[in-house]
Amino acid sequence: MNLKHLFSIVPDATITGSLKKPLSLLTDDSRKVIPGSCYVAVRGTQFDGHTAISAAIAAGATAIVAETPVTDEAKAKDVMWIQTPDTHLADGMLMSAWNAFPSQSMVMLGVTGTNGKTTISYLTNAIFRATWQRAGLIGTIVYDDGAKRVPSHNTTPGCAELQTMLAGMVKNGCRAVAMEVSSHALHQQRTAGTEFRVGIFTNLTQDHLDYHGDMESYYQAKKLLFTSMAANKDNKAVAVINADDAYGRRLAEEMRPLMKVRTFGTADDADFRAVPKLMTLKGSQYELHYQGKSYLVRTPLIGAFNLSNSLAALAGTVSAGVNLRDAITCLAQSPQVPGRLELVASVNNVQSFVDYAHTPDAVENACRTMKALCRTGRLITIFGCGGDRDRTKRPLMGEAAARFSDICLVTSDNPRSEDPESIIDEIMPGIPAEKQHRITDREEAIRAALELARPGDVVLIAGKGHENYQIFKDETIDFSDAAVVKKFYAEKNPDGISVPSIVMKKRAEEGRE
């Protein structure tokens, strides 16, 4: 690649040294530097890449991108130096250029907001695959490059990994990509150099305040997705925004002068408006009103918040160019999103669900949905709060769970470096005494809830969803909420006979049948 062209895209760059040297690699990881590399020094939350510049030069780097002036060492070794005010921004733009601007070859759909990102990205990816054959998926649970799926390790990957992944999707024939875009990623500019055609805003509720500090800063981080889209040269970008959310309405108002905006929700003025018709434990139906026409939408997803998620998926994919009727047809066969109100057992009329809800709003939505659908039975909710995260939401999560649950069993989530008992202590003030139960060990808590459940009850295990680990101060262990539930019932029923059959057999032996 022509280095003059490559580095010309770096904002406000001051270049020292020759642009005629060949480059073998572009990397922001000093450990990967090989002779002929260009090393981008990025300041992270745990490590400042500028401290590794000397090591990168020693490993053979021929170019350095940094926020600091050229060093004597670089001059002495004739290393090209590109100084720029923001290497986060430069990193994304350079990685995109190095990979031949892959996002420009596909329809990029980004999903941001506090809750719903994973479900919406799964739904949009499924619609893209059904209608356009191949599509990528980047998010909390998996990365799918159009050829294979692998477990993800970060909701939104870093610049180098993201652009390499997108280039692979282009190679694999993907026409579109559904991607979760976290507030951390936006603030750290991991998506710089990625051109989104559609951006979906789900909602904004309290979360990540340990990182952002306050709700306004959190909102401004989310807004970055849309301001970057508004700056796209072709001006084809569309913002798809939740009209039922207060921050969504604010965002729509602020973005309308800058770009095309479409809204979704149950609000009368929403562009994609839903009128709920039927909600059961087997799925939902609603009437969609769009551009003067109405359509019946069926989805196996349950709950009012999943109605909103499916509506967002319809609005997003239609804005991307998918035919609305085709998208509606796809929703009827929606995939089960791992760990999102996932039914993992239905035994003796006790329904057990796992869900990723880990914010006050998400917990309240999940509990409200479950309580409405369990009808005559009780709702038993097991949950905790992650350690080393926003502590102010802990009693709020207790209040949210208690509002609709008959029994709140508080336990550990991922305590990390904190004392699990102390975390539980901070949750408890939000729960009335008559609903309070605590068992610190998460497996014991789940088992206790299942023992307590009787026919007609619903057991909701919230917080970890799809996760298959639990993080403590000194170790990370294998752990899955769903696996605990399945193991519990397998032990109760070692012969593989359904529990209802065992109950009927026992009654017959006792002369009651």
Side-chain angles (χ1 to χ4, degrees), residues 341 351 353-355 357 362-371 374 378-384 397-411 427-428 431 435-439 442 445-446 448-450 452-453 457-463:
L341 274 193
Q351 321 296 322
F353 291 82
V354 298
D355 191 71
V363 169
E364 180 170 340
N365 283 334
C367 290
R368 178 191 289 114
T369 294
M370 293 289 93
K371 184 59 179 175
C374 71
R378 300 172 302 169
L379 174 60
I380 304 171
T381 302
I382 306 104
F383 72 102
M397 286 182 64
E399 290 177 10
R403 203 163 288 133
F404 296 97
S405 304
D406 298 285
I407 297 172
C408 293
L409 210 166
V410 185
T411 187
I427 297 171
M428 285 302 194
I431 306 173
K435 294 185 178 182
Q436 283 188 10
H437 298 268
R438 65 186 291 164
I439 299 178
R442 192 172 180 92
I446 294 171
L450 296 174
L452 188 63
D457 288 350
V458 170
V459 176
L460 173 63
I461 309 164

Side-chain angles (χ1 to χ4, degrees), residues 123-360:
L123 295 178
T124 53
N125 174 259
I127 292 171
F128 283 144
R129 284 190 291 110
T131 56
W132 292 351
Q133 294 188 327
R134 286 208 173 182
L137 175 63
I138 300 173
T140 303
I141 301 177
V142 297
Y143 300 151
D144 185 339
D145 66 1
K148 64 182 182 301
R149 287 194 170 192
V150 297
S152 68
H153 52 81
N154 212 349
T155 297
T156 310
C159 296
E161 183 179 9
L162 173 60
Q163 297 303 327
T164 301
M165 195 182 301
L166 293 178
M169 292 176 184
V170 173
K171 183 179 179 181
N172 291 336
C174 292
R175 292 179 58 186
V177 179
M179 177 176 170
E180 293 184 55
V181 187
S182 70
S183 58
H184 293 69
L186 289 165
H187 184 259
Q188 296 165 11
Q189 302 202 71
R190 291 183 224 156
T191 57
T194 304
E195 294 190 18
F196 289 94
R197 179 69 60 84
V198 179
I200 298 177
F201 179 85
T202 65
N203 49 62
L204 198 75
T205 62
Q206 184 172 335
D207 199 15
H208 304 307
L209 297 191
D210 55 301
Y211 180 87
H212 296 290
D214 54 52
M215 289 297 291
E216 181 60 23
S217 299
Y218 185 26
Y219 169 76
Q220 293 298 334
K222 295 291 188 184
K223 185 180 175 181
L224 289 172
L225 173 63
F226 302 93
T227 54
S228 67
M229 290 170 57
N232 287 354
K233 295 178 182 179
D234 63 8
N235 201 31
K236 293 181 180 178
V238 182
V240 176
I241 299 173
N242 184 358
D244 294 336
D245 181 79
Y247 281 101
R249 297 187 76 86
R250 172 184 169 184
L251 180 63
E253 183 178 345
E254 292 174 355
M255 298 311 301
R256 278 196 179 98
L258 305 176
M259 64 188 299
K260 186 173 183 178
V261 172
R262 283 175 165 165
T263 58
F264 66 91
T266 57
D268 290 340
D269 60 348
D271 297 315
F272 286 77
R273 183 169 68 90
V275 178
K277 292 296 181 183
L278 179 66
M279 292 192 183
T280 71
L281 282 171
K282 294 184 178 180
S284 308
Q285 292 183 20
Y286 60 91
E287 195 173 82
L288 168 65
H289 295 269
Y290 175 62
Q291 293 187 339
K293 296 181 180 180
S294 62
Y295 308 82
L296 181 63
V297 179
R298 296 184 177 90
T299 170
L301 303 180
I302 61 177
F305 61 93
N306 271 325
L307 181 153
S308 179
N309 290 337
S310 67
L311 195 59
L314 288 177
T317 51
V318 168
S319 297
V322 174
N323 177 274
L324 176 56
R325 290 189 182 277
D326 290 341
I328 290 172
T329 299
C330 293
L331 270 186
Q333 287 84 42
S334 302
Q336 168 65 59
V337 183
R340 270 61 179 176
L341 274 193
E342 180 182 0
L343 178 63
V344 294
S346 179
V347 178
N348 204 23
N349 199 26
V350 173
Q351 321 296 322
S352 299
F353 291 82
V354 298
D355 191 71
Y356 193 55
H358 58 279
T359 68

Side-chain angles (χ1 to χ4, degrees), residues 40-107:
V40 185
V42 177
R43 300 184 195 276
T45 55
Q46 304 294 327
F47 178 75
D48 183 355
H50 290 77
T51 64
I53 288 176
S54 291
I57 293 174
T62 56
I64 300 292
V65 181
E67 295 175 2
T68 54
V70 60
T71 63
D72 292 338
E73 179 186 18
K75 289 180 180 179
K77 295 191 175 182
D78 193 25
V79 173
M80 180 169 48
W81 193 279
I82 301 91
Q83 183 181 353
T84 181
D86 188 348
T87 52
H88 285 282
L89 178 60
D91 194 24
M93 298 180 74
L94 286 170
M95 292 298 175
S96 176
W98 186 260
N99 286 281
F101 306 100
S103 64
Q104 296 179 8
S105 299
M106 302 176 288
V107 175

